[in-house]
Amino acid sequence: MIKKVYIKTFGCQMNEYDSQRILSIFEESGYDKTDDPEEADFAVINTCSVREKPKEKVKSEIGRLKRYKNSNPDFKIAIAGCVAQEDGEAILKENKSVDLVIGTDGIPKLYEAISRVEKGERLAITEFYHDDFTVPIFNRNSSVSAFVTIMKGCDNFCSYCIVPYVRGREKSRHYKEILDEVKFLVDNGVREVTFLGQNVNSYGKTLDEKINFTQFLYMAAQIDGLNRIRFVTSHPKDFNNDLVDLIASERKICEYLHLPLQAGSNDILKKMNRGYTFEEYEEKIFNAKEKIKGLALSSDFIVGFPGETDEDFEQTLKAVKNIEYETIFAFKYSPRPGTKASSMQDNISDVEKANRLKKLLDAQQIITDNLLKRQIGETQEILVEGKSKKDAHVYSGRNRKNRIVNFTSEKSLQNGEIVKVKITQAKKNSLFGNLEVS
Ligand code: SAH
Ligand code: SF4
Ligand code: F3S
């Protein structure tokens, strides 16, 4: 009988990419994917430790999964990702039901690990492998949009952030390898790729051949059959004008930019070790807005960083109102062990953090509503990604700004088609429209 693997993914897109690699290795090892842990033989939790909350979820997830061992004594549990990297062997010691701990660099070692665990071993693989960062091309679920990791790790050491510790030093993948992966994806029906890295603007620095991110994107844009290119995350300190010019001139690169500001106050930005002032950031943003027609912006924010005063927070609010992002992701500061900020006093109460978070998100909702309303009447280019389960004439896709657009169409459409949709309504976080028939 064929064995089954269940995977649950927390955290960022990089983890989603890794989960696909993990699934691909399980497939090669004789497993089918299942969405029901009850019928699985192996369960993998791909974890995130960027804040305390996602980390806590790992414990409850282990608790939920371990009961399947009662009915199936051969049921195995693996912890992968950033918590696995952070806590390593301790996870095996503290959780008797966990069989495998596999860190963020350990995925290529999974072939061997699976067979050892199947034989009854319990093991933790958490070394960093700096020299070898090749990713064999792997199968994905049939989808029209795919993530492609182009670099791993981070050298920025923002004072609050655990990522440099759990993902290791920055290293770029060779561009030929990435372009081959994209060509493979396009041959298999993918129309849109999102290139992933913690700081894509420094792509290429660790490669022998001289290549930078803008040059890389230009090469990717030459791939026939690929219609759309996106990328996250750009770091403001390395975000430059060459990239703005390329986005403005290269049709395949979408007019969407995620450029995390984190805080509006220069004092806080300094304590965060972000490497830019608010004024420098603002200048780059306004330059990009001016040159890239129809640009949609998004950003990340942390509220309640140690020492953040009311005035500091007001500057974040003001920044959000002035810049007019289409979307923001905002988080309460969460001290992470081993980071520089964790030795600063976490002096903002949870209630105050929650207040600031609410204020910021409320202010943003008004901006999002306005920006979406302004799009009513526009004809937008939508990549068809699916069909409504309830209504056969309603389809779903994304516009170039990465916004979900649901729309009606009398004509039957296939996933992966690019169509023109006239926007008729703005919902809370999505748009609605009708297919434009030419
Ligand atoms: N490389 C990306 C961010 C990766 S982490 C960048 O530099 O922008 C994603 C987001 O989580 C960050 O942008 C930040 O807003 C948030 N974050 C990271 N560490 C955090 C912490 N300790 N507490 C709260 N939010 C945090
Ligand atoms: Fe973390 Fe800063 Fe690196 Fe982003 S750039 S992953 S916030 S250390
Ligand atoms: Fe989380 Fe690791 Fe991504 S800590 S945000 S899954 S890099």
Side-chain angles (χ1 to χ4, degrees):
M1 211 175 70
I2 202 144
K3 291 170 285 183
K4 293 211 164 130
V5 58
Y6 164 84
I7 190 159
K8 174 127 184 174
T9 309
F10 295 95
C12 63
Q13 290 105 327
M14 227 167 270
N15 258 13
E16 283 179 41
Y17 179 81
D18 285 346
S19 285
Q20 300 271 317
R21 285 171 71 199
I22 292 171
L23 278 177
S24 176
I25 294 177
F26 269 97
E27 256 170 41
E28 285 176 45
S29 308
Y31 286 77
D32 268 356
K33 180 183 174 239
T34 174
D35 292 328
D36 178 5
E38 194 159 5
E39 60 171 37
D41 303 277
F42 221 121
V44 182
I45 315 173
N46 198 5
T47 60
C48 171
S49 59
V50 79
R51 288 169 291 276
E52 188 59 31
K53 233 179 174 174
K55 195 175 165 180
E56 276 167 8
K57 287 192 191 144
V58 179
K59 274 207 185 98
S60 56
E61 205 59 34
I62 296 173
R64 195 171 73 89
L65 288 172
K66 72 178 181 200
R67 62 197 160 101
Y68 299 119
K69 292 207 167 199
N70 299 335
S71 50
N72 176 5
D74 290 331
F75 182 83
K76 306 291 183 196
I77 299 177
I79 308 296
C82 296
V83 176
Q85 190 64 48
E86 188 187 357
D87 293 347
E89 202 127 357
I91 300 176
L92 290 183
K93 289 205 183 92
E94 286 161 24
N95 302 278
K96 293 284 169 269
S97 51
V98 173
D99 302 281
L100 173 65
V101 173
I102 189 129
T104 49
D105 260 15
I107 298 174
K109 309 267 166 196
L110 201 55
Y111 292 99
E112 190 198 332
I114 294 171
S115 66
R116 284 171 65 184
V117 170
E118 282 172 342
K119 290 187 193 106
E121 254 185 270
R122 295 178 75 222
L123 59 151
I125 301 170
T126 51
E127 293 92 345
F128 280 124
Y129 302 95
H130 287 298
D131 313 333
D132 176 29
F133 177 40
T134 56
V135 178
I137 287 175
F138 58 97
N139 290 319
R140 313 254 214 306
N141 308 334
S142 58
S143 139
V144 298
S145 180
F147 294 131
V148 176
T149 294
I150 63 167
M151 58 205 295
K152 67 174 186 179
C154 183
D155 289 349
N156 284 319
F157 290 93
C158 301
S159 64
Y160 50 80
C161 186
I162 201 164
V163 171
Y165 304 92
V166 292
R167 291 269 170 178
R169 293 292 57 72
E170 180 184 299
K171 195 157 172 42
S172 298
R173 255 177 101 183
H174 200 283
Y175 65 91
K176 286 196 187 116
E177 193 190 298
I178 308 170
L179 296 175
D180 281 347
E181 181 168 342
V182 176
K183 284 179 197 148
F184 170 86
L185 290 168
V186 169
D187 288 345
N188 285 281
V190 165
R191 294 289 160 257
E192 171 184 275
V193 292
T194 303
F195 292 121
L196 305 178
Q198 297 297 351
N199 180 8
V200 290
N201 304 104
S202 68
Y203 174 79
K205 279 192 185 151
T206 62
L207 295 176
D208 292 337
E209 277 162 273
K210 265 203 157 326
I211 177 168
N212 63 32
F213 184 55
T214 306
Q215 291 163 330
F216 166 74
L217 279 186
Y218 180 80
M219 287 196 285
Q222 310 313 310
I223 295 177
D224 285 337
L226 177 66
N227 298 103
R228 285 179 170 186
I229 297 173
R230 304 183 185 281
F231 51 90
V232 279
T233 298
S234 295
H235 193 296
K237 79 175 159 59
D238 300 318
F239 181 74
N240 63 33
N241 205 29
D242 286 355
L243 181 56
V244 171
D245 288 343
L246 183 68
I247 305 172
S249 63
E250 176 49 66
R251 171 80 187 136
K252 286 187 185 175
I253 305 176
C254 291
E255 304 79 45
Y256 168 78
L257 182 62
H258 182 63
L259 199 64
L261 172 59
Q262 310 296 358
S265 143
N266 284 334
D267 280 352
I268 298 297
L269 286 173
K270 193 151 187 238
K271 283 192 199 161
M272 286 178 163
N273 192 29
R274 287 291 287 178
Y276 53 83
T277 62
F278 176 66
E279 291 71 25
E280 286 163 350
Y281 177 92
E282 204 180 24
E283 201 185 311
K284 289 188 181 185
I285 280 274
F286 287 137
N287 175 47
K289 261 191 169 178
E290 195 183 303
K291 289 192 174 155
I292 306 165
K293 214 174 144 269
L295 179 68
L297 294 165
S298 67
S299 181
D300 292 347
F301 289 94
I302 297 176
V303 298
F305 187 80
E308 185 187 66
T309 61
D310 286 339
E311 293 74 45
D312 290 324
F313 174 67
E314 285 302 319
Q315 284 177 287
T316 297
L317 261 183
K318 201 168 127 201
V320 161
K321 288 177 188 163
N322 280 346
I323 290 166
E324 294 198 304
Y325 299 102
E326 228 192 70
T327 312
I328 66 163
F329 304 91
F331 313 98
K332 293 191 275 182
Y333 169 70
S334 168
R336 308 312 297 131
T339 60
K340 194 155 175 246
S342 69
S343 62
M344 304 174 191
Q345 200 199 348
D346 180 20
N347 64 333
I348 315 292
S349 71
D350 198 54
V351 172
E352 184 53 33
K353 283 180 187 165
N355 275 340
R356 289 180 189 179
L357 185 66
K358 184 170 184 308
K359 258 194 196 163
L360 189 60
L361 293 176
D362 286 351
Q364 178 58 38
Q365 192 61 54
I366 296 169
I367 298 164
T368 300
D369 289 348
N370 282 335
L371 290 178
L372 293 189
K373 264 190 219 136
R374 267 188 235 165
Q375 294 174 47
I376 295 175
E378 282 182 9
T379 297
Q380 296 189 345
E381 179 205 285
I382 311 298
L383 174 66
V384 182
E385 289 187 55
K387 213 172 175 172
S388 158
K389 288 195 183 84
K390 287 181 236 143
D391 186 338
H393 296 297
V394 176
Y395 291 82
S396 177
R398 276 171 202 268
N399 66 13
R400 294 177 59 88
K401 301 175 195 224
N402 210 25
R403 178 73 51 189
I404 290 180
V405 178
N406 298 306
F407 63 97
T408 60
S409 166
E410 293 304 318
K411 202 172 108 188
S412 163
L413 302 173
Q414 299 297 318
N415 288 355
E417 273 186 69
I418 291 185
V419 296
K420 294 228 156 72
V421 169
K422 178 111 175 170
I423 304 300
T424 55
Q425 277 178 61
K427 306 259 165 125
K428 193 165 179 219
N429 284 309
S430 66
L431 292 168
F432 196 87
N434 308 319
L435 182 81
E436 219 170 59
V437 199
S438 49

